[in-house]
Amino acid sequence: MSRRMSPEARTVSWLVGLVVTMGALAWAAVPFYDWFCRVTGYGGTTQVAAAGSDQVLDRTIRVRFDANVDKGMAWTFRPMQTSMELRIGENGMAFYEAINNSDVPVTGTASYNVAPEVAGYYFSKIECFCFTEQTLQPGERIEMPVSFFVDPALVGDGDASWIRDITLSYTFHPTEPRQAALEAPASDTVN
C-alpha cells in the first residue's frame, strides 16, 4: 500500500525546497561573483600572477596611476608617478605613498580596478600592497610597491587590442580596527 502525499503536502514540500535552493544560491552568490570577476576581468578586476610574463612585445602601452581614500580616512594617499610607459609583457613596478595624518594607528585595505574594464583580464599583478591590510602608526609614511605586467594576449583580443592606455586605480578604506577606535568612548582614568 503506497501512501500518496496530499496536494497541500506536495505544495509545502515544493516551497521548502524552493526556499532552501534560494538560500543556497544567495549564499554562493558572493564567492561565485568574486570568482567570475577574477576569471573574466569583469568590472576592471585585475588578475594575479605568480611570476612575470615570459613574452615581451615591441608594442608599448601607457599605465596611469590613480589614488583615492574613503571619506573620513585620515590618510594622504598618492601615486609616486603619474604614469609609465612599458612594453606589453614587460614587468613594471610602481610605488604609492601613504601617510597617516591622524594621532591614532589606522588600518586600511585597498580596493582596486583598471579602466577600461576590458583591460582587467590582461592586467596581472605579481605583488601588491593591496593583497594585505596596511597599518600605519600616527604620522607614519610608507612607500608601497605594486609589481605588474600587461599580458601579451591583449593584442590578439579584438575587444581589447585597441587599448593604448590603462588606468590603475586604488581606493583605501578603513578596516574594522579603525572603526572600533572611532566608536570607542573616551576613557577617563582616575589615579
Side-chain angles (χ1 to χ4, degrees), residues 7-27:
E8 294 84 12
R10 273 193 302 250
T11 302
V12 168
S13 294
W14 185 82
L15 288 173
V16 167
L18 179 66
V19 168
V20 169
T21 300
M22 294 298 285
L25 290 173
W27 175 80

Side-chain angles (χ1 to χ4, degrees), residues 15-125:
L15 288 173
V16 167
L18 179 66
V19 168
V20 169
T21 300
M22 294 298 285
L25 290 173
W27 175 80
V30 171
F32 178 75
Y33 182 76
D34 181 57
W35 169 82
F36 176 78
C37 289
R38 281 184 284 117
V39 169
T40 65
Y42 181 76
T45 302
T46 63
Q47 307 302 303
V48 176
S53 174
D54 56 358
Q55 180 185 15
V56 178
L57 306 179
D58 286 333
R59 183 173 146 192
T60 61
I61 194 160
R62 181 181 17 231
V63 179
R64 297 172 190 213
F65 304 97
D66 179 52
N68 304 282
V69 291
D70 201 4
K71 183 180 176 184
M73 187 167 185
W75 280 16
T76 300
F77 176 55
R78 69 176 188 85
M80 298 187 72
Q81 61 286 302
T82 56
S83 67
M84 73 171 47
E85 195 161 310
L86 59 145
R87 295 184 301 162
I88 294 177
E90 179 182 6
N91 293 334
M93 182 173 284
F95 288 86
Y96 283 76
E97 174 187 56
I99 303 168
N100 179 356
N101 299 314
S102 74
D103 57 356
V104 296
V106 177
T107 301
T109 303
S111 61
Y112 53 87
N113 67 353
V114 296
E117 289 182 2
V118 69
Y121 186 74
Y122 300 103
F123 195 94
S124 297
K125 294 180 187 175

